[in-house]
Amino acid sequence: MAVFRGTFLGLVVVTLVVSATLSAAHPEGFNFGWGSRWGSKPSTDHHGGGHAPAGGSHGLFPQFYHSSCPQVNDIVISVLQRAIGKDPRVAASLLRLHFHDCFAQGCDASVLLDNSTTILSEKGAGPNVNSLRGFEVIDEIKAELEEACPRTVSCADIVALAARASTVLSDGPNWVLPLGRRDSKTASVKSSNNNIPSPRSNLSTLITAFKRQGLDETDLVALSGGHTIGVAKCSTFKRRLYNQNGNDQPDSTLERSYYFGLKSVCPSRGGDNNITPLDFASPARFDNTYFQLLLMGKGLLTSDQVLLTGNGRKAAELVKTYADNERLFFQQFAQSMVKMGNINPLTGLKGEVRKNCRRVN
């Protein structure tokens, strides 16, 4: 447990060096065990990954591009390896992009559309503006796929594939991913604003938001574990430090040394764009340390810590279980990612396959 000592100094140091640490975490030539072997079982020696069912609901199935674009996985991986090497935060950004896409009118790549005469972009919605990242990486993947397999691989599937690859590249689990989503011709700022929960949400609000998408409390806790990688801006948690309940007092659930460390990164005035890791103990690695930190009162966001303290017996028990059993967490995370990826996809003749992910054809 020595890694958790010295929180005050550690937070400052980790905030400064997290990018360099992440860069070193992904050596060249890493073998993912999935490549383009469509329909085969993913490697199960990678932290218990590969246990999610292949699925086939909603008209999606893993072998969708078996004949039309068999190299799709290899292209996604190649682009992501380069992108993460240049900007290590890309992995977490792409995982989050998939979540924000699926929670607004389904997994249809609507979040990628730019403003136009007919589109009011979801990028301007409250949960997304000056926050979502990774669009240029999706553009690069799409460009290479258009060269290899023109008008074949949808932007919605690219987002889902990039989220999986980002997890695996961060030493997380692998899963069999159902494919065949098509791209929307519309976007919905209203859906983004209404359906994507705030980082200040209490447990009840989180459970309701996930239930609205067909996801249960187990999915909520497991998918929240994606915060084992990535960073957050001070603006998303500053209230916890200075005025959590409107009484000019910090959140009482914050562990004391962690609280003082966060204050050194996020002053009461200014600094809203300063960043700090969501999981300061192992920011480069997709693991279960996120849950161990919650047990210590060292969850960064309100929406993180309430999984343990929010008067939800099931959520709290799951936090304890995943903190103790990384393999079980990885299994459930993989299953919940497949389930989330099945939220209202467009299939068949619905929607389209965009040539440019930023605009309709």
Side-chain angles (χ1 to χ4, degrees), residues 94 97-98 101 109 112 138 154-164:
L94 292 175
L97 188 63
H98 187 35
D101 180 39
L112 304 180
I138 298 296
S154 69
C155 300
D157 275 345
I158 290 172
V159 172
L161 285 161
R164 177 177 68 171

Side-chain angles (χ1 to χ4, degrees), residues 14-29:
V14 168
T15 300
L16 293 173
V17 305
V18 59
S19 293
T21 306
L22 282 165
S23 293
H26 313 300
E28 289 296 320

Side-chain angles (χ1 to χ4, degrees), residues 4 6 27 60 71 73 76 91 134 140 153 164 171 207 223 235 264 332 345:
F4 300 119
L60 306 178
Q71 64 270 54
N73 265 330
V76 171
E140 186 176 350
V153 182
R164 177 177 68 171
D171 289 341
I207 291 173
L223 292 173
S235 58
S264 72
Q332 185 58 56

Side-chain angles (χ1 to χ4, degrees), residues 80-124:
L80 280 181
Q81 284 180 314
R82 296 195 304 268
I84 292 172
K86 295 176 183 176
D87 178 5
R89 291 172 57 192
V90 162
S93 296
L94 292 175
L95 188 58
R96 183 168 179 253
L97 188 63
H98 187 35
F99 170 75
H100 281 233
D101 180 39
C102 291
F103 267 57
Q105 74 176 28
C107 306
D108 60 1
S110 59
V111 73
L112 304 180
L113 290 170
D114 286 338
N115 283 321
S116 70
T117 55
T118 58
I119 297 291
L120 181 61
S121 176
E122 291 172 15
K123 296 174 183 178

Side-chain angles (χ1 to χ4, degrees), residues 20 58 69 148 171 174 226 246 255 258 300 305 317 334 348 359:
H58 303 283
C69 194
D171 289 341
N174 186 11
E255 191 273 336
Y258 185 55
L300 183 62
Q305 196 62 49
E317 286 303 317
R359 58 176 181 265

